[in-house]
C-alpha cells in the first residue's frame, strides 16, 4: 500500500487550501470583534483627551471664580531708575509720594598696598559685627545675637589666604584682594547693608604690637581703640525714605510693608510717585486664558462627534449621547447669563462672542472697556446666588460642570468605564473563539488525514484490480 507523505497526497485534493478557507470563515467573528474592540479603544482614547481638556477648562474657570485673582493689584513707579515697586496681598489702591534721602550701604575697609606674595604676619584676627556711634573716638555697640569670630593667621599666610579664611569664617563680612600698579590690598566689607551690620577688626599680633601698621596689625580696624591701620571707604548706613512725608528707616534698600503689601526697591536718591491700582492685565489674561481652554475643549468635542460629508468619515464619538450631551451643557452655560453682574448679563456684553461652532471669539476693544467695571465683571463670572444655582456666575457654573463630569461618578468616568468593560468582554470572547477555531482546525486535519488514508487504500486496490484484469486479458 502507498505511504501518505503529506495531507492531500492520498486524495489528490488541495486540502491545505480547503482547510485554510474553512478556518478563515470560522475566524471571521474574531476579526469582527477585534475591529469593534479597536473602535472602543479609540473612543476611550478620545474620552481621555476630553477629560484632560475639561480639567484644563476647570483650572481656567477656577481662576475666574477665585476672589484673590480679582483683588490683584499692580504698582507703578514714576521713575524706575530711582525705584521699582511691587504690589502684594493687602496693598491699598492709591498714590504715594516717595522721597529717598539716603540709600542703605555696607561698611567697607581697605588695607595699604603690599606684595601679593608676601606673608602678612602671624597672629589672630577678631571680627565683630555691630553699630558705630558718633564721637571721638566713635563708640561701637555689638550686634545683638552676633558673636565675635576669631581667625588664626599663620606666618606663611598671604593676603589671598587671609581672604579665604575670612570668607569661610561665617563672620558676617566678605573679603577680596584688589591689585593695581601700586600693589595688592585686602578689602573687607559687610555681607549685609545697614547700620547694625558694621564691623571692627582687632588683632593679636605675633610681633607683640597690636596697634602698629606692620605685621598682622596692618589688617586691623577699630577706631574705638584708635586703631585704623585699614582705611574705611564706605560706612554702614540705613536707607532713609519719606513716604507721604512719614519718615521710614530701613537697613536694606528694599522697603517692605511700610505701606501694606507694597515693596519698594530704591536705587538712588530723589523724589518719585508710586501708584497702586487694580491689576486689569492679569484679570484680562485670566479671561483670555479661559477662552483658549474652553475653545480647545469645544473643538475637541466637535471633531470627535461630527460627520465629515467630504471625506465620508465619522468622528470617534459620532452619535455618542454622552459626548453630545456634554457639548449641549457647555453651550447652555456659555450662552446663558446671570443677573448678578450688574451692567453685564451675558458674555457678549463684554466682548466674548459665541460662534456657530460653539467657540468664543474675543472683541479686545470691548473687553478692555469692560475692565473699567471690574466689580460687575467679578460678579458675572464668580457670583453665587444662594437661592438659584442656575443664576450663579458663569465661571462658577463652568467649574461646577467640570467637577461633576470628571468626578468619580461623573459622565466621562462612567462612560469610559462602560467602554472599558466592553473591551474586556470582547477580549474574553476573542480568546474563547480562538480556542474554538484551533479545535476546529485540528478536527479538519484529522478528518482529511483519514480521508487520505481511505483514498490511498482504494487507489491501491484499483491498481491491483487493473493489473489482474490486464493479466487475464493477456492469457486469453
Amino acid at each position: 500500500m502507498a505511504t501518505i507523505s503529506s495531507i492531500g497526497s492520498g486524495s489528490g485534493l488541495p486540502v491545505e487550501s480547503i482547510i485554510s478557507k474553512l478556518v478563515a470563515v470560522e475566524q471571521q467573528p474574531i476579526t469582527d470583534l477585534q475591529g469593534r474592540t479597536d473602535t472602543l479603544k479609540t473612543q476611550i482614547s478620545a474620552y481621555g483627551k476630553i477629560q484632560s481638556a475639561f480639567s484644563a477648562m476647570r483650572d481656567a474657570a477656577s481662576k475666574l471664580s477665585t476672589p484673590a485673582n480679582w483683588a490683584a493689584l499692580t504698582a507703578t513707579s514714576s521713575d524706575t531708575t530711582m525705584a521699582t515697586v511691587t504690589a502684594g496681598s493687602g496693598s491699598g489702591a492709591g498714590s504715594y509720594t516717595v522721597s529717598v534721602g539716603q540709600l542703605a550701604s555696607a561698611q567697607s575697609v581697605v588695607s595699604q598696598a603690599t606684595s601679593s606674595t608676601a606673608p602678612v604676619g602671624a597672629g589672630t584676627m577678631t571680627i565683630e559685627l555691630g553699630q558705630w556711634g558718633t564721637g571721638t573716638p566713635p563708640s561701637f555697640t555689638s550686634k545683638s545675637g552676633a558673636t565675635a569670630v576669631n581667625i588664626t593667621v599663620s606666618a606663611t599666610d598671604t593676603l589671598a589666604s587671609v581672604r579665604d579664611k575670612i570668607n569661610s569664617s561665617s563672620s558676617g563680612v566678605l573679603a577680596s584682594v584688589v591689585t593695581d600698579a601700586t600693589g595688592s590690598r585686602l578689602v573687607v566689607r559687610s555681607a549685609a547693608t545697614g547700620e547694625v551690620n558694621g564691623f571692627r577688626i582687632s588683632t593679636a599680633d605675633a610681633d607683640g604690637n597690636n596697634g602698629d601698621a606692620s605685621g598682622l596689625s596692618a589688617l586691623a580696624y577699630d577706631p574705638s581703640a584708635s586703631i585704623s591701620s585699614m582705611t574705611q571707604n564706605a560706612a554702614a548706613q540705613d536707607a532713609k525714605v519719606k513716604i507721604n512725608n512719614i519718615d521710614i528707616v530701613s537697613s536694606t534698600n528694599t522697603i517692605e510693608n511700610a505701606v501694606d503689601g507694597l515693596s519698594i526697591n530704591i536705587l538712588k536718591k530723589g523724589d518719585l510717585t508710586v501708584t497702586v491700582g487694580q491689576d486689569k492685565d492679569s484679570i484680562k489674561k485670566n479671561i483670555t486664558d479661559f477662552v483658549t481652554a474652553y475653545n480647545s475643549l469645544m473643538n475637541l468635542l466637535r471633531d470627535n462627534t461630527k460627520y465629515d460629508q467630504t471625506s465620508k468619515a465619522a468622528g470617534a464619538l459620532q452619535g455618542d449621547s454622552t459626548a453630545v450631551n456634554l457639548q449641549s451643557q457647555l453651550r447652555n452655560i456659555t450662552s446663558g447669563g446671570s443677573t448678578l453682574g450688574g451692567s453685564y448679563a451675558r458674555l457678549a456684553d463684554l466682548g466674548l462672542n459665541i460662534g456657530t461652532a460653539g467657540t468664543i471669539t474675543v472683541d479686545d476693544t470691548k473687553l478692555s472697556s469692560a475692565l473699567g467695571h471690574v466689580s460687575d465683571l467679578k460678579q458675572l463670572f464668580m457670583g453665587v446666588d444662594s437661592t438659584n444655582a442656575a443664576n450663579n456666575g458663569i465661571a462658577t457654573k463652568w467649574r461646577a460642570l467640570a467637577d461633576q463630569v470628571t468626578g468619580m461618578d461623573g459622565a466621562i468616568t462612567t462612560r469610559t468605564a462602560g467602554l472599558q468593560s466592553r473591551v474586556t468582554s470582547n477580549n474574553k470572547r476573542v480568546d474563547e473563539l480562538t480556542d474554538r477555531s484551533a479545535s476546529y482546525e485540528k478536527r479538519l486535519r484529522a478528518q482529511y488525514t483519514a480521508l487520505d488514508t481511505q483514498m490511498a487504500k482504494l487507489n491501491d486496490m484499483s491498481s491491483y484490480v487493473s493489473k489482474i484484469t490486464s493479466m487475464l486479458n493477456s492469457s486469453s
Side-chain angles (χ1 to χ4, degrees):
M1 185 178 70
T3 302
I4 299 173
S5 58
S6 63
I7 188 168
S9 60
S11 63
L13 296 174
V15 174
E16 285 296 344
S17 176
I18 294 171
I19 291 176
S20 176
K21 290 177 180 178
L22 289 173
V23 170
V25 172
E26 182 73 11
Q27 290 180 338
Q28 186 58 47
I30 297 175
T31 303
D32 294 342
L33 267 177
Q34 289 173 332
R36 290 197 291 273
T37 299
D38 288 342
T39 298
L40 292 171
K41 289 180 178 179
T42 300
Q43 292 175 330
I44 291 172
S45 175
Y47 269 115
K49 294 175 183 177
I50 290 170
Q51 179 159 18
S52 178
F54 252 108
S55 296
M57 187 274 284
R58 187 262 183 205
D59 292 342
S62 179
K63 291 181 180 179
L64 292 173
S65 57
T66 301
N69 292 333
W70 291 94
L73 298 173
T74 185
T76 57
S77 168
S78 62
D79 187 348
T80 55
T81 67
M82 187 176 297
T84 58
V85 290
T86 304
S89 176
S91 299
S95 182
Y96 305 89
T97 60
V98 178
S99 178
V100 181
Q102 176 176 291
L103 270 68
S105 62
Q107 180 183 338
S108 176
V109 297
V110 58
S111 68
Q112 297 298 313
T114 187
S115 169
S116 62
T117 58
V120 298
T124 302
M125 298 178 69
T126 300
I127 301 174
E128 184 179 11
L129 297 181
Q131 183 171 347
W132 291 102
T134 57
T136 307
S139 61
F140 184 84
T141 304
S142 299
K143 182 178 180 179
S144 177
T147 302
V149 175
N150 295 321
I151 299 172
T152 301
V153 181
S154 68
T156 58
D157 280 333
T158 62
L159 287 180
S161 55
V162 170
R163 172 202 62 199
D164 294 341
K165 288 184 176 182
I166 291 174
N167 289 336
S168 63
S169 68
S170 300
S171 58
V173 301
L174 300 173
S176 59
V177 175
V178 177
T179 302
D180 60 17
T182 62
S184 297
R185 297 174 175 81
L186 182 70
V187 178
V188 182
R189 61 182 176 85
S190 305
T193 59
E195 291 182 0
V196 296
N197 292 308
F199 62 89
R200 63 181 176 182
I201 304 174
S202 57
T203 59
D205 199 335
D207 65 11
N209 191 337
N210 299 330
D212 62 2
S214 62
L216 185 60
S217 55
L219 303 180
Y221 179 82
D222 185 5
S224 64
S226 300
I227 298 174
S228 297
S229 303
M230 298 182 79
T231 303
Q232 178 174 276
N233 56 357
Q237 64 182 28
D238 292 333
K240 294 182 179 180
V241 179
K242 287 181 181 290
I243 300 179
N244 284 356
N245 213 35
I246 299 174
D247 289 326
I248 305 295
V249 177
S250 171
S251 62
T252 71
N253 288 315
T254 300
I255 314 299
E256 299 276 7
N257 293 321
V259 177
D260 286 341
L262 187 64
S263 174
I264 305 174
N265 181 38
I266 58 175
L267 304 172
K268 65 180 182 181
K269 296 191 293 183
D271 300 324
L272 69 149
T273 301
V274 173
T275 304
V276 179
Q278 204 141 31
D279 190 356
K280 296 179 182 179
D281 287 342
S282 69
I283 295 174
K284 184 177 182 179
K285 183 177 185 302
N286 287 340
I287 292 173
T288 56
D289 283 352
F290 174 81
V291 169
T292 299
Y294 178 87
N295 286 347
S296 177
L297 172 59
M298 288 300 289
N299 287 331
L300 187 60
L301 282 167
R302 186 184 70 250
D303 291 344
N304 278 282
T305 56
K306 72 179 182 180
Y307 180 80
D308 192 325
Q309 291 287 354
T310 302
S311 64
K312 306 299 181 184
L317 302 176
Q318 200 268 331
D320 186 288
S321 60
T322 299
V324 172
N325 187 48
L326 291 176
Q327 280 183 300
S328 178
Q329 291 182 76
L330 283 167
R331 286 175 180 269
N332 289 340
I333 291 175
T334 306
S335 61
S338 172
T339 63
L340 303 176
S343 57
Y344 302 108
R346 297 180 181 278
L347 292 179
D349 296 338
L350 47 130
L352 303 184
N353 303 308
I354 305 168
T356 55
T359 54
I360 300 172
T361 57
V362 179
D363 183 331
D364 189 75
T365 301
K366 198 170 183 179
L367 177 58
S368 296
S369 176
L371 287 168
H373 307 277
V374 171
S375 59
D376 286 348
L377 290 185
K378 175 183 176 182
Q379 286 300 103
L380 176 64
F381 280 104
M382 66 160 288
V384 175
D385 190 329
S386 58
T387 62
N388 180 14
N391 193 43
N392 284 344
I394 296 174
T396 301
K397 289 186 283 189
W398 277 325
R399 177 175 174 177
L401 174 64
D403 286 339
Q404 176 189 346
V405 302
T406 60
M408 291 293 293
D409 299 319
I412 293 178
T413 306
T414 301
R415 181 61 175 143
T416 302
L419 293 170
Q420 185 58 56
S421 176
R422 290 170 61 186
V423 169
T424 301
S425 178
N426 283 358
N427 288 338
K428 182 179 179 181
R429 182 58 178 157
V430 164
D431 290 341
E432 293 172 353
L433 291 175
T434 300
D435 290 342
R436 190 176 78 176
S437 174
S439 297
Y440 177 64
E441 182 178 359
K442 184 177 180 181
R443 288 198 306 273
L444 286 176
R445 290 187 177 280
Q447 291 169 353
Y448 275 99
T449 299
L451 175 62
D452 267 4
T453 301
Q454 290 301 113
M455 291 295 292
K457 289 179 179 179
L458 290 173
N459 288 336
D460 285 346
M461 185 176 293
S462 175
S463 177
Y464 176 73
V465 170
S466 294
K467 288 180 179 179
I468 294 298
T469 301
S470 177
M471 289 171 63
L472 290 173
N473 290 334
S474 176
S475 300
S476 298

